[in-house]
Amino acid sequence: MPYWAPWVLLALVALLSIVHLAVPSTRAWVWKVLAGLGVAMIAGLLYLGLVWAPQEAFMSDVGRILYIHVPYVWACMLAFTVNVGAAIAYLFKKSWVTDAIAEASAEVGVYFGAIGVLQGSIWARPTWGVWWDWDPRLIATTVMLLSYVGYLTFRSFTEDAERRATWSAAAGILGYVSLPIVWFSVRWWNSLHQVQSNASTLDKPMRVVLTWGEATFFAFLFVFIYLRYRIARSRQTSALELPPIDAPTGATAS
Amino acid sequence: MSDHPALDLRDVSKRFGARWALARVSYTLPAGRSLLLTGHNGSGKTTLLRLISTASFPTAGDIVVYGDETRSARDRVRTQVALLSHASFLYDDLTARQNLGMLAELLGLPPATTVPAMLERVGLGGRGDEAVRQFSAGMRKRLAIARLLLKQPKVALLDEPFGELDPAGISQMEGFIRELQAAGTSVVLATHLIEQGLTLTQERLHLNQGRRVDP
Amino acid sequence: MTAPIRTPPGLLRSTWLVLRKDWLIEWRTRARLTALIFFALSTLLLFSFAMGPDITMLRVHAPGYLWLAILFASTLSLGESFRVESENQAMVGLVLAPVEPRAIFLGKVAGNTSLLFGLSLVLLPVSVALYDVDLSRNFGMLLLVLLLGCIGISAPGTVYSAISSNARARDVMLPLLLFPVLVPMLLAAVSATKFALVADPQQQLSSWVKLLTAFDLIYLSVGFLLFPRVVEED
């Protein structure tokens, strides 16, 4: 199977979502195709991860959680990156679209991050013998997760929509900025820890499955953010869109 | 003075959530003239004063103060405009003297000479070293007007200046307004005391639910 | 009316005026300040009760307790620092005066830092008494670490406090937003304090101090850029 096949599927999902957004008349069938693609990608990942891939030498079958854990954490980080991009865009130019993207990506990111950290904990127990570990990736994800839980709480605790958009953009940026510092500080804190696994330490079959998993969950991330974005937009519309201002009652001439 | 009008409102609208606090208000106040702003509670008077003062900015439309647009030239507008609002802008934990002294230094005025004179002028000469927290509502109002007078603005925005004042205080406030006008300041006065307001101003703008209504 | 000659202050002088105003308020409300100090002291004391009388263990963990006490006290002092500003909308008055919002940021950071640094100086001798730590090993570095750590709390804390002072349940919002961001600062400050107090065979102190400095610089610049947007209405 070609290495790039999952990325083609991901691109297809992204394309179809954009079609879904841009051309309302296609929504009925585009939706079914998207759902079908999602099922196919998950089924493919299940087959590749549980059957096709050989057992990992050191970690036994538990190691297979890697194929969903790593994509989840990456998806979470990607979502938060989207959030910060939207926040910066909002601060440069006020727009309800970027505020809605920020809200959507933060919430979806918290979902992926929470599941990802949970999976990491499940993985750590049989592998390292502990539920929790001073692994920079785990800590960085957890810190970002907490930071964005605060972000979402703050959003729901602030009434004024316009000021909430500005304030939460600032809060998001401040939280995200800490990411690299958390990473370095945890690495130095626990420099005795094992070398981190990266693509070069993984077998070729493992890498194929991991790539498939990443494409699958990025596709889900994309669709989730898109759906959540539409919810945010419709809430904004009901809260902010106004009846047109009726013609001034003959009083503007001055 | 200058060729520009004191105040130029160009189709100004302000939205709070789903409510338009101001809807397409256009108005021009000639330089040096004073304006009486009337309307019921919630008609948008306070919002308009806050927008002119650059404490907030219009959702749509422009406000131009002596040729400077509030959003793009807010620094210049802020040096020319002063707002007496419902909130006193005072630090309750500081004394009257310290509150004014800090403002004087921020404005670049020598506090040693200006502050005691100003305290005398608003009738707080003997109370200058008490914490504002102990002040009555009327005394706070006097201190708040002292903040405004210290700034010597070209446009003075007064939101219900007579509220919480005793009769003596009201006539004193009228005196301050006349002094400001004598120094060339345009006063924008929002008040329910229409009789009093009419004697102090030349122009009038009436708002009803955020819209301009000409009587 | 003759207009006196006005020379409006620049950024640095405005910063100084804002800082002096904060110091003046702290001095005039020093009862509040005393309460804050006793709050931090009782936190320290509670840690030693919670951990029991094992003096070797207490000595090892002393840097962590010290920084946690400072951190807990900071949520109170940061919240208070903006409660004063939102009362009577005093900060709106400052912005309209006009004071550059960046000067307000720098002044508030300096005010909060000086307050926390003063607090940590009070906590040091108490740590000696409770945890039997040895301050004399590298006292200069210890002071530097304390100062950098207090800046590290104040720089993001000032922005978050300005933001959360407007939300419902602001007393909960501030730590909820602030603590995650402070994780690396806490790691660096505790490690640096530890190596300033005990032997440092691998020369790790300087790298932690560098990390702490980087944290401070990053948050000072981000806060400097963001603060005007936070306090000004659009």
Side-chain angles (χ1 to χ4, degrees):
Chain A
M1 188 190 54
Y3 191 62
W4 41 264
W7 298 113
V8 174
L9 290 177
L10 173 61
L12 197 60
V13 168
L15 188 71
L16 283 171
S17 303
I18 292 166
V19 170
H20 187 270
L21 175 69
V23 194
S25 62
T26 62
R27 280 182 189 172
W29 65 267
V30 163
W31 193 235
K32 286 174 192 152
V33 178
L34 274 173
L37 274 172
V39 170
M41 289 177 92
I42 286 282
L45 180 64
L46 285 176
Y47 171 75
L48 290 174
L50 294 178
V51 181
W52 181 77
Q55 197 183 66
E56 212 268 348
F58 301 106
M59 289 184 288
S60 74
D61 277 338
V62 171
R64 293 178 193 269
I65 201 172
L66 187 83
Y67 304 134
I68 56 170
H69 166 60
V70 173
Y72 257 83
V73 171
W74 277 114
C76 156
M77 287 301 160
L78 189 63
F80 292 155
T81 309
V82 170
N83 171 275
V84 160
I88 293 172
Y90 182 88
L91 290 182
F92 273 105
K93 191 178 182 309
K94 229 173 85 172
S95 140
W96 291 112
V97 171
T98 45
D99 185 51
I101 294 176
E103 182 179 313
S105 54
E107 207 169 294
V108 176
V110 165
Y111 158 73
F112 275 98
I115 305 279
V117 169
L118 204 65
Q119 290 163 344
S121 192
I122 294 172
W123 183 33
R125 179 66 187 172
T127 315
W128 297 326
V130 286
W131 289 110
W132 190 249
D133 191 77
W134 283 91
D135 172 49
R137 285 162 302 178
L138 188 58
I139 301 295
T141 315
T142 311
V143 167
M144 290 310 283
L145 192 61
L146 285 176
S147 183
Y148 273 95
V149 168
Y151 171 96
L152 289 176
T153 317
F154 174 76
R155 281 191 76 99
S156 65
F157 276 19
T158 314
E159 272 87 19
D160 184 339
E162 297 195 27
R163 310 230 56 201
R164 172 177 62 215
T166 311
W167 286 329
S168 57
I173 292 171
L174 282 177
Y176 192 83
V177 162
S178 76
L179 182 60
I181 323 177
V182 174
W183 184 278
F184 281 116
S185 61
V186 177
R187 278 186 71 168
W188 288 354
W189 176 269
N190 196 5
S191 44
L192 304 171
H193 200 60
Q194 63 165 58
V195 191
Q196 286 161 50
S197 60
N198 54 41
S200 63
T201 65
L202 292 175
D203 296 337
K204 178 107 200 312
M206 286 182 77
R207 225 185 313 162
V208 169
V209 186
L210 204 53
T211 308
W212 186 280
E214 275 166 9
T216 304
F217 287 110
F218 285 4
F220 273 89
L221 176 78
F222 193 86
V223 172
F224 283 0
I225 291 182
Y226 168 60
L227 290 177
R228 185 61 184 78
Y229 163 80
R230 290 193 53 189
I231 296 173
R233 283 296 284 165
S234 72
R235 276 190 200 154
Q236 282 174 353
T237 320
S238 56
L240 294 168
E241 206 126 296
L242 296 147
I245 303 176
D246 43 84
T249 51
T252 34
S254 70
Chain B
M1 285 183 77
S2 71
D3 308 332
H4 296 288
L7 192 60
D8 197 4
L9 310 179
R10 299 173 184 162
D11 213 14
V12 173
S13 303
K14 177 67 178 178
R15 184 176 59 193
F16 290 119
R19 192 177 63 84
W20 287 100
L22 285 175
R24 321 202 72 161
V25 176
S26 291
Y27 183 80
T28 304
L29 178 69
R33 308 272 284 180
S34 287
L35 172 68
L36 176 65
L37 198 56
T38 54
H40 295 294
N41 290 328
S43 61
K45 302 191 297 290
T46 296
T47 304
L48 183 57
L49 291 182
R50 279 178 56 82
L51 293 185
I52 299 171
S53 77
T54 74
S56 184
F57 298 93
T59 311
D62 291 327
I63 296 178
V64 181
V65 179
Y66 279 111
D68 291 321
E69 200 266 315
T70 50
R71 194 186 286 272
S72 55
R74 62 182 77 173
D75 291 342
R76 276 216 298 283
V77 174
R78 279 175 187 167
T79 60
Q80 300 182 343
V81 170
L83 171 67
L84 175 72
S85 104
H86 294 290
S88 62
F89 301 154
L90 298 167
Y91 288 98
D92 277 355
D93 296 313
L94 297 181
T95 66
R97 198 182 303 281
Q98 286 162 342
N99 265 295
L100 286 186
M102 180 192 66
L103 183 71
E105 291 196 62
L106 287 171
L107 294 171
L109 300 166
T113 52
T114 51
V115 171
M118 186 56 71
L119 283 171
E120 283 300 330
R121 197 168 150 202
V122 296
L124 291 172
R127 314 289 295 268
D129 292 317
E130 287 177 32
V132 173
R133 197 175 290 286
Q134 270 125 41
F135 276 18
S136 69
M139 289 164 72
R140 284 160 186 263
K141 202 85 182 183
R142 285 162 186 268
L143 194 53
I145 189 78
R147 279 185 98 253
L148 183 139
L149 293 172
L150 202 60
K151 196 170 172 183
Q152 301 180 358
K154 282 170 82 177
V155 178
L157 310 165
L158 307 178
D159 195 357
E160 298 293 349
F162 304 119
E164 292 152 344
L165 288 175
D166 51 19
I170 290 177
S171 65
Q172 211 177 2
M173 183 65 80
E174 286 181 351
F176 292 142
I177 293 173
R178 290 191 199 285
E179 281 174 42
L180 280 167
Q181 289 168 332
T185 299
S186 284
V187 175
V188 180
L189 178 62
T191 179
H192 293 296
L193 304 180
I194 297 176
E195 296 305 314
Q196 228 121 8
L198 284 172
T199 63
L200 288 163
T201 54
Q202 300 89 41
E203 312 285 336
R204 183 171 176 188
L205 173 62
H206 186 74
L207 293 175
N208 184 18
Q209 294 185 342
R211 288 182 167 76
R212 177 181 167 185
V213 179
D214 285 343
Chain C
M1 245 181 349
T2 52
I5 303 131
R6 292 188 190 187
T7 43
L11 181 72
L12 279 181
R13 174 137 176 86
S14 308
T15 304
W16 161 243
L17 290 171
V18 171
L19 171 62
R20 204 186 58 184
K21 181 261 304 170
D22 271 14
W23 278 347
L24 206 54
I25 291 178
E26 292 300 345
W27 173 246
R28 291 188 54 87
T29 59
R30 48 194 179 275
R32 237 156 39 194
L33 205 60
T34 320
L36 185 74
I37 291 172
F38 278 100
F39 171 77
L41 287 180
S42 47
T43 319
L44 274 189
L45 199 63
L46 284 178
F47 282 131
S48 69
F49 282 139
M51 297 310 293
D54 182 348
I55 196 68
T56 11
M57 211 166 80
L58 285 176
R59 197 182 298 142
V60 171
H61 292 153
Y65 301 152
L66 179 68
W67 278 107
L68 280 181
I70 296 173
L71 195 60
F72 290 157
S74 79
T75 63
L76 298 184
S77 68
L78 286 167
E80 188 63 20
S81 136
F82 275 88
R83 194 197 54 73
V84 169
E85 299 291 346
S86 54
E87 202 174 47
N88 300 331
Q89 300 183 16
M91 196 160 65
V92 178
L94 274 190
V95 172
L96 298 185
V99 183
E100 218 187 307
R102 294 188 172 97
I104 301 179
F105 172 72
L106 294 177
K108 290 300 251 189
V109 171
N112 285 318
T113 303
S114 58
L115 180 67
L116 289 178
F117 187 60
L119 177 71
S120 58
L121 290 185
V122 177
L123 294 183
L124 274 187
V126 183
S127 307
V128 174
L130 286 176
Y131 309 134
D132 191 31
V133 291
D134 178 16
L135 301 182
S136 61
R137 180 179 288 275
N138 201 344
F139 192 63
M141 274 313 259
L142 183 62
L143 287 186
L144 178 68
V145 169
L146 286 176
L147 180 65
L148 289 174
C150 293
I151 296 174
I153 295 175
S154 303
T158 298
V159 187
Y160 276 133
S161 184
I163 290 174
S164 64
S165 67
N166 301 289
R168 272 181 288 135
R170 57 180 169 192
D171 299 329
V172 188
M173 274 323 300
L174 175 61
L176 197 59
L177 290 169
L178 181 61
F179 282 180
V181 163
L182 290 184
V183 165
M185 173 264 145
L186 189 66
L187 282 185
V190 170
S191 306
T193 310
K194 188 168 81 192
F195 292 118
L197 288 176
V198 299
D200 180 16
Q202 291 173 297
Q203 304 292 317
Q204 293 184 58
L205 178 58
S206 72
S207 52
W208 287 114
V209 170
K210 276 179 204 150
L211 186 74
L212 205 51
T213 313
F215 182 91
D216 291 359
L217 289 178
I218 288 172
Y219 274 100
L220 281 175
S221 11
V222 175
F224 191 74
L225 291 175
L226 287 179
F227 196 77
R229 297 301 303 269
V230 169
V231 296
E232 294 236 26
E233 272 183 41
D234 295 302

